[in-house]
């Protein structure tokens, strides 16, 4: 892609997200979401591959539907209340419609149907943008609307997302689909606690972005899109294979790694709110997610002792990767748990 065009598209992604962050008027927020969507579509279709075209078409139709529903919710609220402010959504119907539109935008269950197929049709770089940056703008709206949203609906969406994210990833062999179901499960944890402690939602989102960034960068270094292709990663770089192993375990929420921290705090807060049944269900579904991450870890460690036949050719490969970004994000993904008490006091 032409560097000038690529710069314009990346700048538009930043502009759309910034408009949504700073906007307090529904039309400005909606405009930011639309700029975000239109900027990523050329990045998704740049491969000129049938799978990329299919994924881009599905993404565009889904996002256009969500944007139309969000605009309809804001117009309905303005019609009944006379206010276009983001925090003046006093109409319960408009708030429910807005929540449904945002759930469709980020891929919450049961509106998750598009996310695994779209992510599977993209390259790892565009999939990284879709899994991380594209979540920021909708969550900026949710974090402003959370007092106005129905807590029972948020809880239902969160529990259903953790269930589908856990079960859906069990029979997958494609790494991008596994990461898509991982995204659905992690979004479920964030939405569940949104009404009670939004700071925990923000903490979980930050950690999820850091861990997903590390995972996508590692898969891109190894050029792996399937489980059987990641099995040869240790012959390229044993150190990166160990980082991959720990990052996957952290993303699955295994203590004492960083990914366990938000799940622990969320379960603790749900228990304080006397929501014992949802906490139990989510803890059990976290075990399902951890299971397919352990399967990935097993595939990674299959060749920790490289075969002499392929070691000579593989060890000559010098992976080209952003070392500083990778090491920083990997460190935060793996070693943040000792800071939990200090972070908990800030929450």
């Amino acid at each position: 892609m032409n560097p000038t065009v690529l710069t314009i598209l990346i700048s538009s992604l930043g502009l759309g997200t910034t408009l949504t962050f700073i906007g307090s008027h529904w039309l400005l927020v909606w405009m930011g979401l639309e700029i975000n969507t239109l900027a990523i579509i050329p990045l998704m279709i740049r491969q000129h591959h049938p799978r990329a075209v299919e994924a881009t078409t599905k993404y565009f139709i889904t996002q256009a539907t969500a944007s139309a529903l969000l605009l309809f919710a804001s117009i309905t609220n303005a019609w009944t209340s006379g206010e276009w402010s983001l925090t003046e959504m006093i109409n319960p119907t408009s708030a429910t419609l807005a929540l449904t539109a945002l759930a469709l935008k980020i891929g919450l269950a049961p509106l998750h149907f598009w996310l695994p197929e779209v992510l599977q049709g993209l390259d790892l770089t565009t999939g990284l943008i879709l899994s991380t940056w594209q979540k920021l703008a909708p969550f900026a709206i949710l974090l402003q609307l959370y007092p106005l949203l129905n807590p029972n609906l948020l809880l239902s969406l969160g529990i259903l997302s953790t269930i589908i994210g856990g079960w859906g990833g069990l029979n997958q062999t494609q790494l991008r689909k596994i990461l898509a179901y991982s995204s659905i499960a992690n979004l479920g944890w964030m939405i569940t606690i949104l009404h009670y402690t939004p700071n925990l939602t923000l903490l979980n989102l930050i950690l999820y972005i850091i861990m997903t960034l590390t995972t996508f960068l590692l898969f891109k270094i190894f050029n792996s899109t399937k489980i059987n292709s990641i099995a040869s990663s240790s012959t390229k770089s044993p150190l990166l294979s160990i980082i991959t192993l720990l990052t996957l375990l952290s993303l699955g929420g295994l203590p004492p790694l960083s990914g366990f921290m938000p799940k622990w705090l969320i379960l603790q807060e749900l228990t304080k709110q006397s929501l014992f049944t949802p906490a139990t269900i989510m803890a059990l579904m976290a075990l399902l997610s951890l299971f397919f991450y352990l399967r990935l870890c097993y595939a990674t460690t299959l060749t920790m002792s490289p075969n002499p036949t392929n070691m000579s050719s593989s060890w000559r490969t010098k992976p080209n990767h952003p070392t500083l970004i990778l090491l920083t994000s990997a460190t935060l993904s793996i070693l943040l748990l000792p800071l939990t008490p200090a972070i908990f006091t800030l929450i």
Side-chain angles (χ1 to χ4, degrees), residues 1-261:
M1 181 176 286
N2 188 295
T4 305
V5 176
L6 183 61
T7 303
I8 293 173
L9 294 176
I10 297 297
S11 302
S12 299
L13 279 175
L15 174 63
T17 305
T18 304
L19 283 177
T20 307
F21 278 1
I22 65 176
S24 59
H25 194 284
W26 269 111
L27 288 181
L28 184 62
V29 169
W30 176 80
M31 188 186 303
L33 292 174
E34 285 300 291
I35 292 174
N36 230 0
T37 301
L38 294 176
I40 198 175
I41 285 176
L43 296 175
M44 297 171 67
I45 208 172
R46 61 179 177 171
Q47 288 182 311
H48 301 292
H49 189 274
R51 290 300 302 271
V53 174
E54 178 187 357
T56 306
T57 306
K58 289 179 179 178
Y59 182 77
F60 175 74
I61 293 174
T62 304
Q63 297 299 309
T65 304
S67 295
L69 189 59
L70 188 65
L71 187 60
F72 178 70
S74 60
I75 291 174
T76 304
N77 181 72
W79 181 35
T80 56
S81 66
E83 292 288 341
W84 282 95
S85 177
L86 205 65
T87 56
E88 296 293 334
M89 184 166 278
I90 59 176
N91 189 354
T93 304
S94 300
T96 303
L97 286 175
L99 176 59
T100 305
L102 293 171
L104 181 59
K105 269 195 168 294
I106 60 179
L108 274 174
L111 305 171
H112 68 286
F113 52 88
W114 61 272
L115 184 56
E117 296 299 326
V118 168
L119 201 58
Q120 176 60 28
L122 304 178
D123 62 278
L124 291 173
T125 304
T126 313
L128 171 61
I129 298 174
L130 182 64
S131 300
T132 55
W133 186 263
Q134 293 298 95
K135 300 286 193 297
L136 295 177
F139 265 99
I141 302 174
L142 286 171
L143 287 170
Q144 295 181 69
L145 290 181
Y146 78 91
L148 313 172
L149 302 177
N150 188 345
N152 294 326
L153 181 57
L154 288 173
L155 197 62
S156 301
L157 289 174
I159 293 175
L160 190 58
S161 296
T162 54
I163 293 174
I164 291 179
W167 281 105
L170 289 178
N171 60 344
Q172 301 297 329
T173 58
Q174 300 286 339
L175 295 179
R176 285 166 292 185
K177 281 193 174 182
I178 290 176
L179 290 175
Y181 283 106
S182 167
S183 174
I184 295 169
N186 279 280
L187 290 174
W189 284 87
M190 301 176 208
I191 290 297
T192 301
I193 204 64
L194 177 63
H195 184 78
Y196 305 101
T197 313
N199 290 337
L200 274 182
T201 298
L202 185 59
L203 173 65
N204 200 347
L205 178 63
I206 293 172
L207 280 178
Y208 165 74
I209 289 175
I210 292 173
M211 292 185 293
T212 304
L213 172 65
T214 306
T215 306
F216 268 98
L217 287 178
L218 288 168
F219 288 163
K220 185 173 177 60
I221 291 168
F222 298 134
N223 196 22
S224 300
T225 56
K226 298 180 180 179
I227 290 182
N228 57 4
S229 65
I230 201 176
S232 61
S233 61
S234 63
T235 62
K236 297 180 181 179
S237 176
L239 176 60
L240 289 182
S241 297
I242 295 173
I243 294 176
T244 304
L245 175 69
L246 293 175
T247 303
L248 290 173
L249 291 177
S250 181
L251 196 56
L254 184 72
L257 302 173
S258 300
F260 173 68
M261 178 177 61

